[in-house]
Amino acid sequence: MTLQDSRGETLQPSAYRLRCRDPHSAPAYGLGESVPLTGLHRVPEDLIGESLTALLDLTIPENAKVPLFAAEWVTVDGATGGSWDHAPDLSGDFAFSYPLPPAEEKDGQRSYLVSLLEIVLDEVDLLVDGEFVNPSALLTGSGYFPLRVRPLAQPHPLAERTENAKAAIRRQPLFSVSQTEPTIPILARHWSLLAPLLRISKNGEHTEPEGFRLRRTGDWVVPSHGHPSEVYEHLARVCNVACSFCYLFGNPDTLAIARAKKSIARDELDTRIAYYRPQERRALFSAQWELNEFLVDPRLPEVMKTLRETTDRPFFFTTNGNPLTPRIVEQLAEVKPVHFVVSTNTVDEPLRQEVMKERPNRTWTALHCLQELRKHEIPFGVSLVATPDFPLEDLTRTIETVSELDPNFIRVNEPGFTRDHPSPMDFDTDILWGSVIEWAQSMREKTHVPIIAIPSAYEENFFYDDPLAARVIGTIPGSPAAACGLRPGDVIVGVGYLRPTTRSEVVSSLMLVKGLVKLRIRRAGQSLDLTLDTELPPTYPYTGPYIGKYLVPHGVVTAPSISSGDARGIAQQIEDVGSRYSWLVTSSLMLPAARAFIERSVADHADCIDFVVATNDYLGGNIRVMDMCTVGDIHAALVRHQEKTGRTPDLILVPATGFNAHGRDLVGRHWGDLERAWNIPVRLLGHTTQFVF
Ligand code: SF4
């Protein structure tokens, strides 16, 4: 068999690699390694038998009720057959079991081999001399077969997103792994392709495979960050309230995040703990379930104690607060460092009960947990949602009340909703979001706690002249920054002898300096010098420069921003490809910052870069962030821009923010499908910052 590219040239791949986000970050996840290919040009004589053997090496099929450790098989045309007999796994590990997805669309002309190759190409990139190649057709003895890329707006069909906790075998939705361990959905799709070609019988009785389990759990221990959240996040599969604004209710059915019906099973939790090896940076493959309430699972204290014996890394929890009884807080104080974000929302008990559908005794616990956290010196942030359910006067009262307890920040979330959200949210987003920003700005004058409006890009890009300026949102109480007299609204323009010009450069400079450092700031049009003492001993609630994934050097809180590393990345990509006309994909929210950034930091190439604004068509509603754009959304924006300009670029630059380590988007599509579909170099940008473009 022969592979061809779109120009009809023969391709002779010499290696393959699992598709990942990008070659720079891939090694950190154990990805990106190329594996030599031998025998790709040979089609095995017993293709079906060899495929089945390969599948049975990693999986055991299951019918509706039991795993088929032993069975006989024959192809439907009776041409070949055999049997298998595998010993059951006696390790005591949890059996990870998955359903078979619906079969891919049938096309009478397409052979099993062609369909299998299309499935495999969703998982691997083929390489010639280390360079990615894009096969577009397969030539075999039976004919010429174009290799299709599934329409980019269509996720792969993967059965149900919600687990069926009542079935005889409690199978996990494939959606739990389609972003994080794409090999498992590939095995599932292969089973769905192969099963109709086989007749399987057990003890002489015909049986249909309906799912499969992973044969050996140990095969699925993979490189990891080593952060304990890889285990304890699984405790957050369900919630004990139902907030009217909860974004989880608006998740589409094709989102590559599974929805649970019950808490994690004890044996799954035990298995995940057993394989969690932070020293070796390895853990069981991760799975994505909707993140609900961490503390609702009664096993939490016991699990955190076990995890603390293996790692000293901080535990971070987001909670609605109602499971945080004094006893639980006391137990968590024993496993410090622990950090909380408490979704308080309001201090008005009846209002909270109504909007969050919470039982009254739980509300009491939720509103008193902040005192308990303070008593045990566990740092916490407070989260509020500025939905019309909580009027600004109520949020003002809430901020005044919680500020007395020294949270290290207060997060005000602009209300967001998707097209599928069940509660009507009929407000004008810009009017409401704008009024929230103006209110938040005024509240910053009244409290010593930093008030962060999320998404911060909305405020930074639409309320100030320079979207890249190092504007101070606030300072963490107890930090050196709080002691030095920085105020909300100050713009830092000098750090010691350094003269950084963007927010990201200021943050990097602050991370470098030590001792007594002069900060030059602009305040109300005046220039002013302050002295920052980085050696000042931290006092509660400041604990250091990181709060989860947020960087707050010496307690200075600014919005995340595009970094100078990204500028180097863009210039490099343009020069590598020799591009004369590139498209840079961005969101409407980030367009002002993206323009300013390119003009200021990539000035040499600014003339050859055109901006393409992607919209969140997949999620709909009022979502407008690039991190939540799918491959389909980006593709649609590229098509629109091509129609509008009548031009086609020679390079497409796409922000990396919406793609995980495996390069998968919200629905599990790999970004490389854009390159396969457009046949133009597509490059991912922004490995250094969290929010880009
Ligand atoms: S507490 Fe959080 S997870 Fe639970 S319903 Fe409310 S928003 Fe959703």
Side-chain angles (χ1 to χ4, degrees), residues 108-366:
Q109 297 302 309
R110 306 182 80 73
S111 68
Y112 165 75
L113 178 66
V114 179
S115 302
L116 178 59
L117 189 56
E118 285 173 347
I119 291 175
V120 170
L121 284 175
D122 186 31
E123 169 70 344
V124 304
D125 282 331
L126 297 179
L127 307 171
V128 174
D129 299 332
E131 292 295 318
F132 162 74
V133 289
N134 190 4
S136 61
L138 177 73
L139 222 59
T140 70
S142 338
Y144 172 89
F145 301 96
L147 294 169
R148 299 169 305 187
V149 178
R150 187 178 187 78
L152 295 183
Q154 263 183 35
H156 298 290
L158 289 179
E160 291 294 309
R161 188 166 83 84
T162 304
E163 75 170 334
N164 181 351
K166 290 191 185 140
I169 298 179
R170 194 174 158 185
R171 295 198 175 105
Q172 306 212 331
L174 287 163
F175 286 89
S176 64
V177 282
S178 58
Q179 275 190 72
T180 55
E181 193 49 79
T183 308
I184 296 174
I186 295 291
L187 291 168
R189 288 164 66 194
H190 190 182
W191 263 117
S192 286
L193 182 69
L194 191 64
L197 307 179
L198 304 174
R199 285 199 186 287
I200 295 175
S201 50
K202 185 171 165 61
N203 302 328
E205 297 236 349
H206 175 72
T207 184
E208 296 277 347
E210 290 189 4
F212 67 96
R213 61 176 56 190
L214 304 182
R215 192 168 154 197
R216 292 167 299 263
T217 321
D219 288 343
W220 300 89
V221 176
V222 297
S224 86
H225 281 302
H227 195 274
S229 59
E230 289 175 3
V231 175
Y232 67 71
E233 271 192 356
H234 290 275
L235 294 165
R237 289 193 189 167
V238 291
C239 193
N240 59 2
V241 293
C243 304
S244 64
F245 51 81
C246 179
Y247 69 96
L248 297 177
F249 299 140
N251 281 344
D253 283 341
T254 49
L255 194 73
I257 300 176
R259 172 168 288 164
K261 282 284 184 199
K262 286 187 176 174
S263 300
I264 183 171
R266 177 167 278 281
D267 45 355
E268 182 186 347
L269 186 61
D270 290 345
T271 301
R272 288 199 169 274
I273 293 174
Y275 283 99
Y276 170 62
R277 297 169 191 158
Q279 317 308 341
E280 299 164 39
R281 298 249 160 165
R282 292 182 77 75
L284 210 49
F285 66 96
S286 56
Q288 286 244 340
W289 295 78
E290 288 181 342
L291 275 185
N292 284 265
E293 172 54 56
F294 280 93
L295 307 184
V296 81
D297 194 312
R299 291 165 293 184
L300 182 105
E302 155 206 337
V303 171
M304 301 323 288
K305 223 170 155 182
T306 309
L307 289 175
R308 184 47 82 224
E309 283 160 17
T310 63
T311 176
D312 55 5
R313 294 177 77 174
F315 300 144
F316 291 100
F317 298 109
T318 299
T319 173
N320 64 42
N322 76 31
L324 276 178
T325 59
R327 173 81 189 121
I328 296 280
V329 177
E330 206 176 291
Q331 288 174 320
L332 288 169
E334 287 165 18
V335 292
K336 283 182 185 174
V338 180
H339 190 281
F340 279 96
V341 175
V342 184
S343 302
T344 304
N345 292 320
T346 174
V347 288
D348 181 325
E349 292 193 30
L351 183 61
R352 181 171 152 124
Q353 281 151 27
E354 186 191 327
V355 178
M356 295 175 68
K357 305 201 181 40
E358 184 173 58
R359 292 216 306 262
N361 59 333
R362 288 188 169 156
T363 308
W364 191 90
T365 306

Side-chain angles (χ1 to χ4, degrees), residues 459-462 464-471 491-492 500-507 522 558-564 590-602 691 693:
E459 179 177 3
E460 298 298 327
N461 292 334
F462 296 102
Y464 305 109
D465 293 339
D466 179 1
L468 303 178
R471 196 167 299 95
V491 176
I492 303 175
T501 58
T502 64
R503 194 154 65 247
S504 115
E505 286 173 12
V506 166
V507 169
R522 269 199 340 260
T558 56
S561 98
I562 310 170
S563 86
S564 38
M590 283 304 285
L591 184 62
R595 276 195 199 289
F597 176 75
I598 295 294
E599 279 162 22
R600 199 177 305 174
S601 303
V602 199
F691 299 102
F693 305 112

Side-chain angles (χ1 to χ4, degrees), residues 638 651-654 671-672 674-676 678-684:
L638 295 173
L651 171 66
I652 299 171
L653 300 164
V654 178
W671 67 267
L674 287 164
E675 184 156 299
R676 287 195 176 144
W678 279 76
N679 234 332
I680 295 172
V682 177
R683 297 289 181 267
L684 225 51

